[in-house]
Amino acid sequence: MTLPFSPINAAADSPIYRQIYLRIRQSIADGVLRPGDRVPSVRGLASELNLARGTVESAYQLLIGEGYLIARGPAGTVVSPQIRLPEPAGQAVVVPETVPSLTHTGLMPLPLEMGLPALDVFPRTVWNRLAAREMRQSGLHDLIYPDSQGYAPLRAAIAGYLGVSRGVACSPDQVFICAGYRASLNLICHGVLRHGDTGWFEDPGYLIARRFLIEAGMTLLPVPVDDDGLDVEAGIKMAANARFAVVTPSHQSPLGVSLSLSRRHALLDWARAGDRWIIEDDYDGEFRYRGRPLPALKSLDTAGSGRVLYTGTFSKVLAPGLRLSYLVVPQEQVVRFAETAGRMQNQCPRLLQATLARFIEEGAFARHIRKMRSIYADRRTTLADALSAALEPRAQLRMQAGGMHLLAMLDNGSDDGAIAMRARSLGLSVQALSAWYAEATSRRGLLIGFTNVRSSQEASALSRTLASAL
Ligand SMILES: Cc1ncc(COP(=O)(O)O)c(C=O)c1O
């Protein structure tokens, strides 16, 4: 064990052996060293701190004499298992939960949680096999600093996938691997935005990104969303000179509508008319149950003067625990972003990136998405049927063409926040739609995840419980 030692001060009044004695005693009192923990050997600590062995020996003898440590011969020296630690002075810190569980809490989700992929169908066997192979085959290149843009074969695999599946033609050097959507946004903030820049943000919109951008110093203007997606006209009226717009064109988060073709063109025209950026968040565009998946907005971006910064994530198509996402920038911006990424360094472990690269190259990713599409189509209708039976007419179910959650609309007078809290006390995790609005004139409804509801019995039981929260 390495002890949390500050440097030994040879000039201090207290002799060195006593400084060591006090620090170990303090570590035990603070609970950093627990009863039964092994402390470094005399020789190890002496060499680590560049001291004579006798000095460390004296400190240990004192601690043993006072009952803090026990010498166990070849088994080493340990903190006495009998030691009675004082109660910690203050109360344990409780971090308040500002948003009722939003899949980003580190806790296992409750039923109906939105935004999570089906955890029971994660392709564990293939994934483990590929990860083990990567681990076995690792060499010197695993030990050096990684490519700040991300692991090159993964960038190539993503470029290949996006070209075929999302209509985004890009080269691997346009792809930057990031540790989740917020890391992609962070790279954009450092790459092309300035503190205090104003941007359009969908209202309702993905509240985690909204909070992140505000914290990063951006001023966000809530732009309304209707059945055709972001109201571009309204955005232009509000702030024609904004520097950026954040949009979810394939499947608006959280309403589920798609940005119409005419609005896509209007948005691109607006961005091209100035030094403006469109941040396209294509977080779950792969999942569409009616018609074909819509190509990404990025596919309409002009080569040579691109304005779309395209972001995607593996959180929805694989698992959020991987913390892997990507950003695709226009060719002309590659140098600028590469410099920024170089300053920030890549935060994604190479082993994970390499495993994912093989997963895509070997075709397992495409197979997985196909499988998920069909499982989600089933789970979606199963839960929708059960919810309609249990909730209507108090709530109206809205079935959008894609995505991973359902929307149950409530009367404008309903308190969806209170209903979500009541559902939570009954062991369910649904989101209040009003919480996703920045403006007070919000619509009311419940956002309900269907991806982890595995059978019609489960769907009926959960729907009945939710009905009792209404
Ligand atoms: C709208 C939206 N965008 C992006 C993401 C992806 O976030 P991350 O990559 O941090 O998991 C999510 C995940 O919940 C989301 O809901």
Side-chain angles (χ1 to χ4, degrees):
M1 161 177 282
T2 306
L3 293 175
F5 277 174
S6 50
I8 294 291
N9 182 358
D13 288 343
S14 170
I16 289 173
Y17 85 90
R18 195 159 171 81
Q19 293 181 42
I20 295 174
Y21 158 82
L22 287 174
R23 287 172 192 193
I24 294 187
R25 215 180 67 172
Q26 193 60 45
S27 295
I28 295 172
D30 291 345
V32 177
L33 285 173
R34 310 285 312 160
D37 278 357
R38 199 169 161 159
V39 295
S41 67
V42 169
R43 190 211 300 223
L45 191 55
S47 134
E48 193 179 317
L49 300 177
N50 198 14
L51 297 171
R53 278 170 65 179
T55 309
V56 178
E57 185 77 54
S58 306
Y60 276 30
Q61 285 311 328
L62 199 53
L63 289 158
I64 290 168
E66 291 183 5
Y68 287 102
L69 299 183
I70 295 182
R72 287 195 165 152
T77 304
V78 298
V79 177
S80 170
Q82 273 80 44
I83 203 150
R84 299 263 298 276
L85 294 175
E87 286 300 313
Q91 293 277 311
V93 179
V94 178
V95 181
E97 212 185 305
T98 47
V99 181
S101 174
L102 198 61
T103 71
H104 299 246
T105 54
L107 301 173
M108 281 313 279
L110 294 173
L112 304 184
E113 176 90 52
M114 69 180 282
L116 271 181
L119 301 177
D120 58 318
V121 263
F122 180 80
R124 214 170 264 289
T125 312
V126 184
W127 185 267
N128 289 355
R129 175 172 59 75
L130 295 174
R133 198 172 77 193
E134 281 307 316
M135 190 83 110
R136 276 197 307 277
Q137 291 176 350
S138 59
L140 285 183
H141 51 275
D142 297 285
L143 305 179
I144 58 174
Y145 280 103
D147 185 333
S148 54
Q149 229 179 293
Y151 182 60
L154 178 58
R155 289 192 277 119
I158 290 173
Y161 161 71
L162 291 178
V164 174
S165 300
R166 307 294 302 125
V168 175
C170 62
S171 63
D173 55 301
Q174 288 173 258
V175 180
F176 290 75
I177 311 293
C178 303
Y181 178 48
R182 275 165 279 181
S184 304
L185 288 176
N186 201 28
L187 187 55
I188 294 173
C189 289
H190 283 85
V192 290
L193 301 182
R194 285 182 298 267
H195 200 269
D197 274 354
T198 298
W200 302 353
F201 201 85
E202 294 169 328
D203 200 37
Y206 182 39
L207 72 172
I208 287 194
R210 190 199 311 148
R211 284 191 190 146
F212 178 84
L213 287 168
I214 290 171
E215 221 161 90
M218 305 300 145
T219 304
L220 298 184
L221 297 174
V223 177
V225 173
D226 60 23
D227 286 348
D228 283 336
L230 177 94
D231 186 343
V232 179
E233 279 284 299
I236 292 174
K237 276 201 197 110
M238 258 183 225
N241 275 332
R243 286 278 338 278
F244 65 96
V246 185
V247 272
T248 48
S250 300
H251 179 242
Q252 203 274 331
S253 170
L255 295 180
V257 296
S258 312
L259 188 64
S260 68
L261 190 60
S262 57
R263 289 217 178 143
R264 287 174 189 232
H265 284 297
L267 188 61
L268 283 162
D269 289 345
W270 165 78
R272 285 180 194 128
D275 181 21
R276 301 175 192 139
W277 299 104
I278 298 169
I279 301 171
E280 175 174 15
D281 175 14
D282 195 13
Y283 62 106
D284 71 355
E286 287 83 357
F287 299 120
R288 198 172 164 87
Y289 313 104
R290 290 198 301 265
R292 263 182 252 123
L294 295 179
L297 167 67
K298 175 79 183 159
S299 65
L300 302 173
D301 205 15
T302 326
S305 57
R307 303 310 307 172
V308 180
L309 303 166
Y310 174 83
T311 69
T313 179
F314 289 97
S315 293
K316 310 292 171 187
V317 278
L318 269 174
L322 299 177
R323 298 286 74 222
L324 284 173
S325 67
Y326 47 87
L327 168 67
V328 179
V329 305
Q331 188 66 56
E332 322 77 75
Q333 304 300 328
V334 167
V335 173
R336 191 173 182 183
F337 271 91
E339 282 169 4
T340 309
R343 285 197 300 277
M344 293 168 67
Q345 249 306 327
N346 190 277
Q347 308 290 317
C348 307
R350 186 189 165 285
L351 177 65
L352 213 54
Q353 296 187 65
T355 305
L356 181 55
R358 301 289 165 263
F359 189 76
I360 300 174
E361 284 162 9
E362 295 199 354
F365 185 54
R367 278 197 299 280
H368 179 63
I369 291 180
R370 273 200 303 278
K371 178 173 167 189
M372 301 300 274
R373 256 190 218 128
S374 111
I375 291 176
Y376 286 171
D378 280 352
R379 292 186 179 183
R380 175 172 170 272
T381 19
T382 306
L383 184 62
D385 291 347
L387 286 172
S388 302
L391 305 186
E392 282 175 357
R394 284 170 293 174
Q396 302 298 327
L397 219 57
R398 282 263 214 105
M399 297 285 279
Q400 296 299 348
M404 297 164 68
H405 65 263
L406 297 167
L407 177 52
M409 295 304 292
L410 298 166
D411 293 343
N412 274 347
S414 324
D415 185 349
D416 55 358
I419 295 170
M421 293 304 278
R422 266 202 304 278
R424 196 170 167 76
S425 68
L426 297 171
L428 303 180
S429 177
V430 293
Q431 297 273 322
L433 176 59
S434 60
W436 292 58
Y437 281 85
E439 292 287 291
T441 51
S442 60
R443 288 151 85 189
R444 305 298 152 107
L446 299 175
L447 302 163
I448 306 167
F450 59 76
T451 49
N452 284 289
V453 180
R454 289 186 263 177
S455 66
S456 53
Q457 289 85 340
E458 193 183 354
S460 302
L462 293 170
S463 302
R464 281 195 299 274
T465 310
L466 185 57
S468 65
L470 273 177

